[in-house]
Amino acid sequence: MSEFALIDRIRQRAGTRADVILGIGDDAAVLRVPEGQDLVVSTDTLIADVHFPADTAAADVGWKALAVNLSDLAAMAAQPAWVALALSLPEADGDWLDAFLDGFLELAAQHDVALIGGDTTRGPLSITITAHGFVARDAALRRSGAKAGDDVWVTGTLGDAAGGLAQWRRGGLMSAKLRHRLDRPTPRIDAALALRGIAHAAIDLSDGLVADLGHVLEQSGVGAEIDLGRLPTSRPLAEHFADEHERWRLQLAGGDDYELCFTAAPADAFAIEQEMAACDTTATVIGRIRADAGLQLFTLEGTDFVVPVAGFDHFPAKDA
Ligand code: ADP
Ligand code: MG
């Protein structure tokens, strides 16, 4: 297939929306931002064997590439609308592209997201997506809004994807349920929209709780204490990782959860529980924001727990 045949394949399958004035096919897309809304924009790249095992099914790659981008919009409490897709492919494989689009467009349809353009090049498999969404003027959730006394919440369960990846790295079989959480993360859009006006700060968990919550603490000028016994844990993770300390390390520093971590006043806990139930999302209070800087992790016995590596870093400091 030629580059143009590939693009045509994408164009034929891409959805549209009334606010897409001009989509795929011209030199650029023309889009109409709703009156009174702020445009929220985010870009993320996925590279084979860095962000997903190279043997990942094409449909799962398509889903995940979009999911991680929608997760960033969710962290800002933005309603997703449009995405651009820059694809680098080792070869013009129409079957791979079709399967990729199956996963990508399945998730796009769930959130009424239109694919409005992109770029197609030859190179190592890599996918870069720019996602655009809307939020009422000045209502975006930021990392910088956490206040001393806030509850610290997380959605869903933590550590599942990291558990799957740990099994894969050991060369063993990956549990199907953990693999599913690695390949098909759920961007918490509905939960995020429900948290507008309630949550004080939010971030999505891509690099691991310690690293990502650390960004919130730093940008908010506060600290936090977390009770490890309260970390929401799935049954498959508990079954496959019986050792509590190993499990905590996965949950704290494993990454790839794509859950939301947010803070809110304790007085709003009941309202939050109701909002989360209404959108079929579980959410758990795992600790509390405090005025003193730093993140303290408490074991069940109330002693400090230290994680050796805080989270994923593409450019870690080299050993001397
Ligand atoms: P240009 O030469 O101006 O970069 P292209 O030939 O790359 O134009 O793209 C032609 C049209 O196809 C543009 O509207 C572009 O946004 C769209 N397009 C190219 N690649 C993709 C892709 N992977 N996904 C969605 N749209 C794409
Ligand atoms: Mg181009």
Side-chain angles (χ1 to χ4, degrees), residues 31-216:
L31 308 162
R32 195 149 292 164
V33 182
E35 206 77 46
Q37 305 265 306
D38 287 337
L39 177 64
V40 180
V41 182
S42 157
T43 297
D44 252 325
T45 296
L46 271 75
I47 296 173
D49 270 338
V50 178
H51 299 94
F52 56 90
D55 70 351
T56 304
D60 292 333
V61 175
W63 174 287
K64 184 166 185 173
L66 182 57
V68 307
N69 278 276
L70 297 186
S71 181
D72 279 322
L73 292 186
M76 308 302 291
Q79 171 88 59
W82 313 310
V83 287
L85 168 65
L87 267 181
S88 158
L89 302 174
E91 54 190 329
D93 181 341
D95 291 339
W96 189 92
L97 180 66
D98 275 332
F100 172 89
L101 289 173
D102 287 344
F104 182 97
L105 295 173
E106 182 186 346
L107 180 60
Q110 281 182 16
H111 296 286
D112 190 24
V113 165
L115 176 56
I116 49 87
D119 199 22
T120 306
T121 55
R122 178 182 214 137
L125 178 58
S126 123
I127 304 108
T128 298
I129 291 178
T130 302
H132 308 72
F134 312 130
V135 65
R137 197 159 285 172
D138 296 323
L141 283 177
R142 302 173 184 219
R143 296 177 175 185
S144 56
K147 297 181 177 65
D150 277 1
D151 287 329
V152 178
W153 294 76
V154 290
T155 59
T157 57
L158 301 183
D160 299 324
L165 207 51
Q167 292 175 325
W168 179 74
R169 289 216 179 95
R170 283 175 202 156
L173 270 186
M174 240 195 273
S175 135
K177 284 182 178 148
L178 298 181
R179 168 127 224 181
H180 187 77
R181 293 270 292 160
L182 177 67
D183 289 342
R184 297 236 168 190
T186 308
R188 299 296 182 185
I189 303 285
D190 296 340
L193 299 184
L195 290 169
R196 286 175 176 177
I198 305 178
H200 292 160
I203 192 167
D204 72 315
L205 298 177
S206 53
D207 295 334
L209 178 70
V210 166
D212 291 322
L213 176 57
H215 299 314
V216 170

